[in-house]
Amino acid sequence: KIEEAISGQLSFLANPKYRAQLQQTRASAVIVAPQVEISGLTVIQVENPYLAFAQVLTLFATKRHPPVGVHETCIIGEGTTLGEQCALGAHVIIGKHVRIGEQTVIYPGVVIGDHVTIGAETLIYPNVSILQDVSIGNRVIIHSGAVIGRDGFGFAPDGAQYYKIPQVGTVVIEDDVEIGANVTIDRAALGKTHIQRGVKIDNLVQIAHNVVIGEQSILVAQVGFSGSTKVGKHVTLAGQVEVGMVRKIDRR
């Protein structure tokens, strides 16, 4: 952080309201926008300081993933295939006829149902549940406690009680999606619940049956969707937004 950096460290300035802190920072260099110059301070001028900061930070970030290979306590069903250099932590349970791509990392306590497909370079944190027939793409990140493929909430009243409608659809999650902690994504009654490429989902989001979330959309914490809602591309929904049964939300 710019106010805490010391000699030998690199910082960044993305929000102009913090520009005054450049006068006091002890950082050896600061990533800034092209028009920013401060006498006596080494600056690295880029068009998008926030993006540059993220890219530089990636060079320094380290994750202590489970080692490549299958832990001896894992249970793997028949017909399951694992790509090269996968890492499966302790007490992972995988059902029958599951396909997992290369270099995918699965942390301890994950449960994966039958006939699930998971792509390459995907990261699944502890205690995630992925139920049967779900499809997950490449480079997906799923944080702890997420439940994907739970039954959609569907019941038909008969006048005296509620008859459970079998939820026979699936969930499809495309490439480069990130799913936060304790997110629930329900399977479709028929067809699919569809999370498209590049979507980013914060913690505690509820996505009901047959919802479609368009490419590169952002869902902040505690957003909730009723069934069959459709969201267009590049949509941002802030925290605690609740979306009822609407046909479609687009970026406008």
Side-chain angles (χ1 to χ4, degrees):
K1 296 168 59 177
I2 193 167
E3 70 272 21
E4 297 178 357
I6 61 175
S7 178
Q9 295 181 338
L10 176 68
S11 188
F12 79 105
L13 176 71
N15 191 329
K17 74 178 184 179
Y18 298 114
R19 182 166 178 167
Q21 295 184 4
L22 288 175
Q23 304 288 352
Q24 288 81 40
T25 188
R26 294 184 292 157
S28 290
V30 180
I31 300 170
V32 298
Q35 69 275 17
V36 176
E37 293 184 4
I38 295 291
S39 177
L41 177 64
T42 299
V43 294
I44 303 170
Q45 296 174 322
V46 297
E47 289 296 328
N48 188 336
Y50 196 53
L51 176 60
F53 154 74
Q55 292 170 332
V56 170
L57 197 58
T58 300
L59 301 175
F60 292 92
T62 57
K63 292 284 188 179
R64 294 176 175 84
H65 297 314
V68 170
V70 178
H71 193 275
E72 60 184 8
T73 60
C74 292
I75 299 174
I76 300 177
E78 64 182 28
T80 288
T81 60
L82 302 177
E84 295 183 1
Q85 295 185 299
C86 284
L88 274 62
H91 303 291
V92 170
I93 299 175
I94 300 177
K96 300 176 182 178
H97 305 291
V98 174
R99 292 182 296 159
I100 299 176
E102 61 185 20
Q103 299 183 51
T104 285
V105 176
I106 302 176
Y107 272 74
V110 171
V111 177
I112 299 173
D114 297 343
H115 300 281
V116 168
T117 299
I118 299 174
E121 299 180 54
T122 287
L123 178 59
I124 304 174
Y125 281 105
N127 301 318
V128 169
S129 297
I130 302 171
L131 305 183
Q132 72 276 2
D133 301 312
V134 167
S135 177
I136 295 174
N138 302 313
R139 300 174 301 280
V140 173
I141 299 174
I142 306 174
H143 289 274
S144 297
V147 178
I148 300 172
R150 165 195 176 274
D151 281 356
F153 193 70
F155 300 90
D158 67 2
Q161 59 186 358
Y162 291 94
Y163 185 87
K164 181 177 175 65
I165 301 170
Q167 304 292 293
V168 299
T170 187
V171 177
V172 174
I173 297 172
E174 295 186 358
D175 296 347
D176 301 303
V177 169
E178 181 155 356
I179 298 169
N182 297 318
V183 168
T184 54
I185 303 176
D186 295 352
R187 71 175 55 253
L190 301 169
K192 63 186 177 184
T193 303
H194 192 185
I195 312 300
Q196 296 181 359
R197 180 178 57 86
V199 170
K200 310 303 180 189
I201 304 173
D202 199 358
N203 303 331
L204 297 168
V205 170
Q206 155 66 12
I207 299 175
H209 59 85
N210 293 94
V211 168
V212 177
I213 308 295
E215 293 180 7
Q216 304 297 337
S217 289
I218 298 289
L219 310 180
V220 184
Q222 300 181 17
V223 167
F225 294 95
S226 294
S228 300
T229 299
K230 292 180 172 56
V231 176
K233 300 178 181 180
H234 297 276
V235 171
T236 298
L237 295 178
Q240 298 187 332
V241 169
E242 300 296 325
V243 182
M245 296 180 69
V246 298
R247 186 169 182 85
K248 185 176 180 181
I249 298 172
D250 64 26
R251 66 186 300 176
R252 296 186 298 274

